[in-house]
Amino acid sequence: MGLLGFLVLVLGFSSSSYGAISQLNSRLIASISRKGPYIGIVVPNSFELSPLLQSPTFVLDHKFPYFDFAGRRFRIGKLENQKVIIVMTGLSMLNAGISTQLLLTLFNIKGVIHYGIAGNANPELQIGDVTIPQYWAHTGLWNWQRFEDGPDDELALESSGDYTRSIGYLNFSSYNNNTKSSKSVSNLLNNVWYQPEETFPVNSTPEVRQHAFWVQVDNTYFEIAKKLEDIKLNGCVNTTCLPRSPIVTRVRRGVSANVFVDNRAYREFLNSKFNATSIDMESAAVALVCLQQRTPFIAIRALSDLAGGGSTLSNEAAIFASLASHNAVEVLKRFISLIV
């Protein structure tokens, strides 16, 4: 019995039961999945989704164009002649993780492609460039150290194996202004130590945790991404053009957290500490769910802003988010056309 069949058996067939998969829905899901396997496409927000839905190479399934479940709409069709199911997650790690888990639980999915826009922490790249990181990490899971404890002091619950100092920390006093008035100010915020996620892979013993900080994308997908570097991308929004034509590039690392980073100091810290390029709010959640479900994945993120380091007036995403979204979709379409 598959996972879906087990869920139906346990939850029952009544559509009025909370959390249940009704008979009608279970039949629809089975009918959709029989046409698979599909590539799952996970996208955060509507402005990133719209260019994909408007693409002439995306064709909805004539019989099952979409399936609504648990507040999500799963669009079924073909993109570049590949069978796909597309789901919009909404903002944040929580929404991205839930949507990805539902996608993989309900349908016959052979791989996941996540795409969207991101902030840029890499001074060698510019707005409009499309990045494909090899590794993703969630940098929003912290152990916040008590006042006056330092790097050599054990963290709370570290001895039990719940937390670690192995990844490193951010010391807030490193970013205090060195003025006469601030020299005597205590660093009450002290340090925050970055933590790995607890993971529970589907093929491991239940409730026996593993840990993951850097999650690697699928090797085959990452190799395919080499073939994307010749794509010609748009570099202008109306009459506002970028200094050079945007490029597609594979990079080493991207990071995610429930934080919109519009701060130059933290952007530079993420780049120097973790060698991070792309900064977003969803990709690591998709990566972690796919890691646990043993499903191949890759994330494509177009740079929409400099994460606090560009314009002094406003974040650049207000101007370039639409350009970045379209560039991400162009790369997605080429990538999916290359999957065998």
Side-chain angles (χ1 to χ4, degrees):
M1 178 183 293
L3 177 58
L4 177 58
F6 177 76
L7 284 172
V8 172
L9 179 64
V10 171
L11 295 173
F13 295 103
S14 170
S15 60
S16 63
S17 300
Y18 288 108
I21 300 176
S22 68
Q23 281 184 308
L24 175 59
N25 278 343
S26 66
R27 288 195 297 267
L28 288 173
I29 292 166
S31 295
I32 293 166
S33 288
R34 276 196 296 268
K35 293 186 175 183
Y38 298 87
I39 295 291
I41 299 177
V42 179
V43 55
N45 295 301
S46 59
F47 70 89
E48 294 156 311
L49 174 63
S50 292
L52 176 57
L53 299 184
Q54 294 165 7
S55 171
T57 61
F58 173 62
V59 180
L60 284 168
D61 186 274
H62 70 279
K63 188 174 182 180
F64 300 115
Y66 62 87
F67 177 76
D68 292 343
F69 188 82
R72 271 75 180 175
R73 171 158 290 185
F74 298 88
R75 291 174 169 86
I76 300 102
K78 285 188 175 181
L79 178 65
E80 301 289 339
N81 291 317
Q82 282 275 7
K83 295 178 181 179
V84 298
I85 297 180
I86 304 168
V87 59
M88 190 188 83
T89 69
L91 189 72
S92 84
M93 296 281 287
L94 174 65
N95 280 320
I98 289 173
S99 301
T100 305
Q101 183 65 64
L102 284 170
L103 174 72
L104 297 180
T105 298
L106 295 174
F107 303 107
N108 182 8
I109 302 295
K110 64 179 180 180
V112 171
I113 307 172
H114 176 56
Y115 81 91
I117 67 172
N120 177 30
N122 186 339
E124 297 180 1
L125 297 178
Q126 69 165 28
I127 289 171
D129 291 345
V130 178
T131 61
I132 305 172
Q134 187 176 15
Y135 295 91
W136 285 94
H138 176 204
T139 51
L141 185 58
W142 296 348
N143 185 312
W144 206 312
Q145 200 167 24
R146 68 170 56 195
F147 177 55
E148 292 188 332
D149 278 1
D152 295 328
D153 293 303
E154 188 176 273
L155 300 175
L157 304 180
E158 183 180 359
S159 61
S160 65
D162 288 335
Y163 298 99
T164 179
R165 284 172 291 165
S166 64
I167 296 169
Y169 67 100
L170 168 64
N171 184 305
F172 286 99
S173 68
S174 299
Y175 298 93
N176 290 342
N177 288 327
N178 293 319
T179 61
K180 291 181 179 180
S181 61
S182 66
K183 286 183 178 179
S184 61
V185 176
S186 297
N187 175 25
L188 300 178
L189 292 178
N190 204 12
N191 307 318
V192 293
W193 292 81
Y194 292 88
Q195 300 300 315
E197 289 277 0
E198 291 184 354
T199 65
F200 299 88
V202 293
N203 57 351
S204 65
T205 304
E207 298 183 351
V208 175
R209 66 183 177 178
Q210 299 179 24
H211 288 96
F213 188 71
W214 292 112
V215 180
Q216 186 173 358
V217 305
D218 180 73
N219 283 326
T220 301
Y221 285 179
F222 198 63
E223 282 299 308
I224 292 172
K226 279 183 179 179
K227 302 175 183 179
L228 305 175
E229 295 179 355
D230 64 340
I231 298 177
K232 304 300 181 184
L233 298 173
N234 184 28
C236 296
V237 178
N238 298 322
T239 58
T240 302
C241 293
L242 297 165
R244 63 160 169 77
S245 297
I247 61 172
V248 182
T249 181
R250 301 191 307 168
V251 297
R252 187 67 171 170
R253 291 172 172 175
V255 295
S256 309
N258 283 329
V259 178
F260 186 94
V261 177
D262 193 21
N263 183 278
R264 179 175 180 173
Y266 192 55
R267 176 202 74 197
E268 291 176 347
F269 171 81
L270 290 173
N271 181 255
S272 62
K273 174 68 178 176
F274 296 119
N275 190 24
T277 293
S278 317
I279 307 172
D280 68 40
M281 301 176 70
E282 294 87 19
S283 294
V286 179
L288 285 159
V289 171
C290 289
L291 173 69
Q292 296 195 119
Q293 298 299 311
R294 299 299 193 228
T295 302
F297 93 99
I298 197 165
I300 298 167
R301 285 284 184 162
L303 305 177
S304 62
D305 62 275
L306 299 178
S311 170
T312 58
L313 300 176
S314 65
N315 185 279
E316 300 88 350
I319 298 172
F320 292 106
S322 61
L323 179 147
S325 297
H326 279 84
N327 284 353
V329 169
E330 289 304 307
V331 176
L332 165 73
K333 291 192 296 184
R334 172 74 74 82
F335 179 85
I336 204 166
S337 73
L338 298 174
I339 297 176
V340 178

